[in-house]
mmCIF file of all heavy atoms in Angstrom:
data_model
loop_
_atom_site.group_PDB
_atom_site.id
_atom_site.type_symbol
_atom_site.label_atom_id
_atom_site.label_comp_id
_atom_site.label_asym_id
_atom_site.label_seq_id
_atom_site.Cartn_x
_atom_site.Cartn_y
_atom_site.Cartn_z
ATOM 1 N N VAL A 1 -11.420 9.181 1.893
ATOM 2 C CA VAL A 1 -10.863 9.905 0.752
ATOM 3 C C VAL A 1 -10.938 9.042 -0.512
ATOM 4 O O VAL A 1 -11.350 9.505 -1.581
ATOM 5 C CB VAL A 1 -9.408 10.352 1.029
ATOM 6 C CG1 VAL A 1 -8.755 10.919 -0.221
ATOM 7 C CG2 VAL A 1 -9.375 11.362 2.172
ATOM 8 N N ALA A 2 -10.534 7.780 -0.392
ATOM 9 C CA ALA A 2 -10.549 6.871 -1.541
ATOM 10 C C ALA A 2 -11.950 6.781 -2.147
ATOM 11 O O ALA A 2 -12.104 6.811 -3.378
ATOM 12 C CB ALA A 2 -10.059 5.487 -1.123
ATOM 13 N N ASN A 3 -12.963 6.685 -1.321
ATOM 14 C CA ASN A 3 -14.339 6.566 -1.805
ATOM 15 C C ASN A 3 -14.811 7.819 -2.537
ATOM 16 O O ASN A 3 -15.455 7.729 -3.582
ATOM 17 C CB ASN A 3 -15.288 6.221 -0.660
ATOM 18 C CG ASN A 3 -15.077 4.818 -0.136
ATOM 19 O OD1 ASN A 3 -14.568 3.947 -0.838
ATOM 20 N ND2 ASN A 3 -15.447 4.598 1.109
ATOM 21 N N ILE A 4 -14.483 8.977 -1.994
ATOM 22 C CA ILE A 4 -14.893 10.230 -2.648
ATOM 23 C C ILE A 4 -14.230 10.340 -4.019
ATOM 24 O O ILE A 4 -14.874 10.660 -5.018
ATOM 25 C CB ILE A 4 -14.521 11.459 -1.789
ATOM 26 C CG1 ILE A 4 -15.241 11.447 -0.451
ATOM 27 C CG2 ILE A 4 -14.842 12.754 -2.552
ATOM 28 C CD1 ILE A 4 -14.690 12.446 0.545
ATOM 29 N N LEU A 5 -12.926 10.090 -4.065
ATOM 30 C CA LEU A 5 -12.197 10.225 -5.324
ATOM 31 C C LEU A 5 -12.632 9.168 -6.345
ATOM 32 O O LEU A 5 -12.709 9.456 -7.535
ATOM 33 C CB LEU A 5 -10.694 10.177 -5.073
ATOM 34 C CG LEU A 5 -10.148 11.354 -4.257
ATOM 35 C CD1 LEU A 5 -8.673 11.162 -3.946
ATOM 36 C CD2 LEU A 5 -10.380 12.682 -4.968
ATOM 37 N N LYS A 6 -12.936 7.972 -5.863
ATOM 38 C CA LYS A 6 -13.420 6.921 -6.763
ATOM 39 C C LYS A 6 -14.743 7.333 -7.402
ATOM 40 O O LYS A 6 -14.953 7.144 -8.600
ATOM 41 C CB LYS A 6 -13.574 5.607 -6.002
ATOM 42 C CG LYS A 6 -14.022 4.449 -6.870
ATOM 43 C CD LYS A 6 -14.129 3.171 -6.067
ATOM 44 C CE LYS A 6 -14.600 2.021 -6.944
ATOM 45 N NZ LYS A 6 -14.743 0.775 -6.183
ATOM 46 N N GLU A 7 -15.652 7.900 -6.587
ATOM 47 C CA GLU A 7 -16.939 8.382 -7.099
ATOM 48 C C GLU A 7 -16.750 9.390 -8.225
ATOM 49 O O GLU A 7 -17.547 9.458 -9.150
ATOM 50 C CB GLU A 7 -17.749 9.060 -5.990
ATOM 51 C CG GLU A 7 -18.378 8.135 -4.992
ATOM 52 C CD GLU A 7 -19.025 8.893 -3.837
ATOM 53 O OE1 GLU A 7 -19.169 10.144 -3.899
ATOM 54 O OE2 GLU A 7 -19.388 8.231 -2.844
ATOM 55 N N LYS A 8 -15.694 10.185 -8.121
ATOM 56 C CA LYS A 8 -15.419 11.219 -9.111
ATOM 57 C C LYS A 8 -14.590 10.698 -10.282
ATOM 58 O O LYS A 8 -14.341 11.432 -11.237
ATOM 59 C CB LYS A 8 -14.689 12.396 -8.448
ATOM 60 C CG LYS A 8 -15.552 13.132 -7.454
ATOM 61 C CD LYS A 8 -14.799 14.290 -6.872
ATOM 62 C CE LYS A 8 -15.766 15.270 -6.251
ATOM 63 N NZ LYS A 8 -16.549 16.036 -7.204
ATOM 64 N N GLY A 9 -14.132 9.448 -10.195
ATOM 65 C CA GLY A 9 -13.303 8.889 -11.256
ATOM 66 C C GLY A 9 -11.892 9.445 -11.275
ATOM 67 O O GLY A 9 -11.253 9.513 -12.332
ATOM 68 N N LEU A 10 -11.388 9.821 -10.104
ATOM 69 C CA LEU A 10 -10.045 10.398 -9.998
ATOM 70 C C LEU A 10 -9.054 9.364 -9.478
ATOM 71 O O LEU A 10 -9.416 8.457 -8.728
ATOM 72 C CB LEU A 10 -10.084 11.618 -9.073
ATOM 73 C CG LEU A 10 -10.986 12.757 -9.577
ATOM 74 C CD1 LEU A 10 -11.154 13.814 -8.501
ATOM 75 C CD2 LEU A 10 -10.439 13.356 -10.859
ATOM 76 N N ASN A 11 -7.792 9.518 -9.880
ATOM 77 C CA ASN A 11 -6.723 8.588 -9.498
ATOM 78 C C ASN A 11 -6.260 8.843 -8.071
ATOM 79 O O ASN A 11 -5.907 9.976 -7.732
ATOM 80 C CB ASN A 11 -5.508 8.752 -10.429
ATOM 81 C CG ASN A 11 -5.848 8.463 -11.867
ATOM 82 O OD1 ASN A 11 -6.557 7.507 -12.154
ATOM 83 N ND2 ASN A 11 -5.361 9.298 -12.768
ATOM 84 N N PHE A 12 -6.230 7.795 -7.264
ATOM 85 C CA PHE A 12 -5.799 7.917 -5.865
ATOM 86 C C PHE A 12 -4.800 6.826 -5.538
ATOM 87 O O PHE A 12 -5.032 5.651 -5.797
ATOM 88 C CB PHE A 12 -7.012 7.812 -4.930
ATOM 89 C CG PHE A 12 -6.663 7.874 -3.469
ATOM 90 C CD1 PHE A 12 -6.016 8.973 -2.937
ATOM 91 C CD2 PHE A 12 -6.986 6.827 -2.622
ATOM 92 C CE1 PHE A 12 -5.695 9.027 -1.582
ATOM 93 C CE2 PHE A 12 -6.682 6.870 -1.268
ATOM 94 C CZ PHE A 12 -6.032 7.980 -0.753
ATOM 95 N N ASP A 13 -3.682 7.232 -4.954
ATOM 96 C CA ASP A 13 -2.655 6.308 -4.491
ATOM 97 C C ASP A 13 -2.949 5.995 -3.025
ATOM 98 O O ASP A 13 -2.872 6.872 -2.169
ATOM 99 C CB ASP A 13 -1.281 6.957 -4.637
ATOM 100 C CG ASP A 13 -0.146 6.065 -4.191
ATOM 101 O OD1 ASP A 13 -0.399 4.960 -3.667
ATOM 102 O OD2 ASP A 13 1.012 6.481 -4.361
ATOM 103 N N ARG A 14 -3.286 4.756 -2.746
ATOM 104 C CA ARG A 14 -3.678 4.353 -1.388
ATOM 105 C C ARG A 14 -2.496 4.237 -0.423
ATOM 106 O O ARG A 14 -2.675 3.978 0.755
ATOM 107 C CB ARG A 14 -4.447 3.041 -1.451
ATOM 108 C CG ARG A 14 -5.753 3.175 -2.231
ATOM 109 C CD ARG A 14 -6.424 1.836 -2.437
ATOM 110 N NE ARG A 14 -7.006 1.344 -1.207
ATOM 111 C CZ ARG A 14 -8.248 1.579 -0.809
ATOM 112 N NH1 ARG A 14 -9.043 2.312 -1.552
ATOM 113 N NH2 ARG A 14 -8.702 1.075 0.319
ATOM 114 N N ASN A 15 -1.282 4.427 -0.896
ATOM 115 C CA ASN A 15 -0.087 4.373 -0.047
ATOM 116 C C ASN A 15 0.060 5.714 0.678
ATOM 117 O O ASN A 15 0.877 6.551 0.315
ATOM 118 C CB ASN A 15 1.146 4.075 -0.906
ATOM 119 C CG ASN A 15 2.408 4.015 -0.090
ATOM 120 O OD1 ASN A 15 2.387 3.722 1.104
ATOM 121 N ND2 ASN A 15 3.527 4.309 -0.724
ATOM 122 N N TYR A 16 -0.760 5.908 1.674
ATOM 123 C CA TYR A 16 -0.778 7.201 2.358
ATOM 124 C C TYR A 16 0.385 7.353 3.342
ATOM 125 O O TYR A 16 0.927 6.392 3.865
ATOM 126 C CB TYR A 16 -2.113 7.421 3.069
ATOM 127 C CG TYR A 16 -2.440 6.450 4.186
ATOM 128 C CD1 TYR A 16 -2.224 6.792 5.518
ATOM 129 C CD2 TYR A 16 -2.987 5.195 3.906
ATOM 130 C CE1 TYR A 16 -2.546 5.904 6.540
ATOM 131 C CE2 TYR A 16 -3.307 4.308 4.917
ATOM 132 C CZ TYR A 16 -3.076 4.665 6.223
ATOM 133 O OH TYR A 16 -3.389 3.791 7.234
ATOM 134 N N GLY A 17 0.765 8.613 3.577
ATOM 135 C CA GLY A 17 1.783 8.938 4.566
ATOM 136 C C GLY A 17 1.118 9.230 5.897
ATOM 137 O O GLY A 17 -0.056 9.606 5.960
ATOM 138 N N LEU A 18 1.884 9.081 6.969
ATOM 139 C CA LEU A 18 1.300 9.184 8.304
ATOM 140 C C LEU A 18 2.351 9.564 9.329
ATOM 141 O O LEU A 18 3.474 9.054 9.298
ATOM 142 C CB LEU A 18 0.710 7.810 8.662
ATOM 143 C CG LEU A 18 0.033 7.601 9.991
ATOM 144 C CD1 LEU A 18 -1.288 8.366 10.036
ATOM 145 C CD2 LEU A 18 -0.252 6.110 10.191
ATOM 146 N N CYS A 19 1.998 10.456 10.228
ATOM 147 C CA CYS A 19 2.842 10.709 11.400
ATOM 148 C C CYS A 19 1.932 11.080 12.569
ATOM 149 O O CYS A 19 0.764 11.412 12.395
ATOM 150 C CB CYS A 19 3.877 11.803 11.146
ATOM 151 S SG CYS A 19 3.253 13.491 11.147
ATOM 152 N N PHE A 20 2.485 10.991 13.750
ATOM 153 C CA PHE A 20 1.735 11.396 14.929
ATOM 154 C C PHE A 20 1.597 12.906 14.946
ATOM 155 O O PHE A 20 2.482 13.635 14.513
ATOM 156 C CB PHE A 20 2.429 10.949 16.218
ATOM 157 C CG PHE A 20 2.417 9.470 16.426
ATOM 158 C CD1 PHE A 20 3.598 8.780 16.635
ATOM 159 C CD2 PHE A 20 1.227 8.755 16.417
ATOM 160 C CE1 PHE A 20 3.596 7.410 16.831
ATOM 161 C CE2 PHE A 20 1.212 7.387 16.610
ATOM 162 C CZ PHE A 20 2.401 6.721 16.817
ATOM 163 N N GLY A 21 0.474 13.352 15.455
ATOM 164 C CA GLY A 21 0.259 14.765 15.680
ATOM 165 C C GLY A 21 0.165 14.982 17.180
ATOM 166 O O GLY A 21 -0.338 14.131 17.904
ATOM 167 N N GLY A 22 0.681 16.090 17.635
ATOM 168 C CA GLY A 22 0.643 16.390 19.062
ATOM 169 C C GLY A 22 -0.720 16.885 19.470
ATOM 170 O O GLY A 22 -1.341 17.684 18.778
ATOM 171 N N GLY A 23 -1.196 16.404 20.578
ATOM 172 C CA GLY A 23 -2.497 16.824 21.075
ATOM 173 C C GLY A 23 -2.342 17.647 22.330
ATOM 174 O O GLY A 23 -1.252 18.025 22.730
ATOM 175 N N MET A 24 -3.444 17.891 22.949
ATOM 176 C CA MET A 24 -3.438 18.643 24.195
ATOM 177 C C MET A 24 -2.931 17.744 25.318
ATOM 178 O O MET A 24 -3.004 16.524 25.225
ATOM 179 C CB MET A 24 -4.844 19.132 24.503
ATOM 180 C CG MET A 24 -5.401 20.009 23.421
ATOM 181 S SD MET A 24 -7.081 20.470 23.754
ATOM 182 C CE MET A 24 -6.785 22.019 24.593
ATOM 183 N N PHE A 25 -2.424 18.340 26.326
ATOM 184 C CA PHE A 25 -1.925 17.655 27.505
ATOM 185 C C PHE A 25 -0.749 16.750 27.130
ATOM 186 O O PHE A 25 0.210 17.217 26.580
ATOM 187 C CB PHE A 25 -3.054 16.917 28.241
ATOM 188 C CG PHE A 25 -4.254 17.778 28.475
ATOM 189 C CD1 PHE A 25 -5.440 17.548 27.798
ATOM 190 C CD2 PHE A 25 -4.192 18.855 29.346
ATOM 191 C CE1 PHE A 25 -6.550 18.362 28.004
ATOM 192 C CE2 PHE A 25 -5.290 19.677 29.560
ATOM 193 C CZ PHE A 25 -6.458 19.420 28.891
ATOM 194 N N ILE A 26 -0.838 15.457 27.336
ATOM 195 C CA ILE A 26 0.328 14.600 27.102
ATOM 196 C C ILE A 26 0.198 13.712 25.864
ATOM 197 O O ILE A 26 1.099 12.953 25.551
ATOM 198 C CB ILE A 26 0.616 13.701 28.325
ATOM 199 C CG1 ILE A 26 -0.581 12.792 28.618
ATOM 200 C CG2 ILE A 26 0.989 14.528 29.529
ATOM 201 C CD1 ILE A 26 -0.299 11.690 29.623
ATOM 202 N N ILE A 27 -0.905 13.801 25.136
ATOM 203 C CA ILE A 27 -1.106 12.937 23.969
ATOM 204 C C ILE A 27 -0.127 13.333 22.867
ATOM 205 O O ILE A 27 -0.225 14.396 22.290
ATOM 206 C CB ILE A 27 -2.554 13.035 23.445
ATOM 207 C CG1 ILE A 27 -3.546 12.617 24.520
ATOM 208 C CG2 ILE A 27 -2.725 12.186 22.188
ATOM 209 C CD1 ILE A 27 -4.982 12.852 24.155
ATOM 210 N N ARG A 28 0.835 12.457 22.594
ATOM 211 C CA ARG A 28 1.805 12.637 21.495
ATOM 212 C C ARG A 28 2.474 14.002 21.533
ATOM 213 O O ARG A 28 2.750 14.596 20.497
ATOM 214 C CB ARG A 28 1.142 12.410 20.148
ATOM 215 C CG ARG A 28 0.438 11.107 20.007
ATOM 216 C CD ARG A 28 1.382 9.946 19.948
ATOM 217 N NE ARG A 28 0.602 8.715 19.746
ATOM 218 C CZ ARG A 28 1.035 7.529 20.040
ATOM 219 N NH1 ARG A 28 2.235 7.374 20.536
ATOM 220 N NH2 ARG A 28 0.286 6.480 19.844
ATOM 221 N N ARG A 29 2.744 14.483 22.706
ATOM 222 C CA ARG A 29 3.363 15.790 22.858
ATOM 223 C C ARG A 29 4.692 15.834 22.103
ATOM 224 O O ARG A 29 5.459 14.887 22.124
ATOM 225 C CB ARG A 29 3.569 16.098 24.336
ATOM 226 C CG ARG A 29 3.900 17.530 24.584
ATOM 227 C CD ARG A 29 3.950 17.819 26.061
ATOM 228 N NE ARG A 29 3.999 19.251 26.209
ATOM 229 C CZ ARG A 29 3.192 19.949 26.940
ATOM 230 N NH1 ARG A 29 2.263 19.352 27.635
ATOM 231 N NH2 ARG A 29 3.311 21.236 27.008
ATOM 232 N N GLY A 30 4.952 16.933 21.432
ATOM 233 C CA GLY A 30 6.202 17.107 20.703
ATOM 234 C C GLY A 30 6.155 16.611 19.260
ATOM 235 O O GLY A 30 7.142 16.672 18.541
ATOM 236 N N HIS A 31 5.016 16.109 18.839
ATOM 237 C CA HIS A 31 4.869 15.670 17.447
ATOM 238 C C HIS A 31 3.976 16.667 16.709
ATOM 239 O O HIS A 31 3.142 17.298 17.320
ATOM 240 C CB HIS A 31 4.232 14.275 17.394
ATOM 241 C CG HIS A 31 5.154 13.187 17.810
ATOM 242 N ND1 HIS A 31 6.040 12.585 16.957
ATOM 243 C CD2 HIS A 31 5.354 12.602 19.014
ATOM 244 C CE1 HIS A 31 6.729 11.660 17.606
ATOM 245 N NE2 HIS A 31 6.317 11.653 18.869
#
């Protein structure tokens, strides 16, 4: 994302947010 926005000359805050996402079966279930 940072690279695409930099190419366009757009302002990007690199302090991204993050959480687990639930996957199929038992991977991070409930998130």
Side-chain angles (χ1 to χ4, degrees):
V1 171
N3 291 336
I4 297 167
L5 294 175
K6 182 179 179 181
E7 285 173 11
K8 293 182 161 288
L10 298 170
N11 299 318
F12 178 59
D13 181 355
R14 297 173 73 91
N15 180 26
Y16 63 99
L18 180 70
C19 76
F20 291 125
M24 301 176 93
F25 311 110
I26 60 169
I27 300 172
R28 306 290 183 201
R29 193 174 192 127
H31 287 275

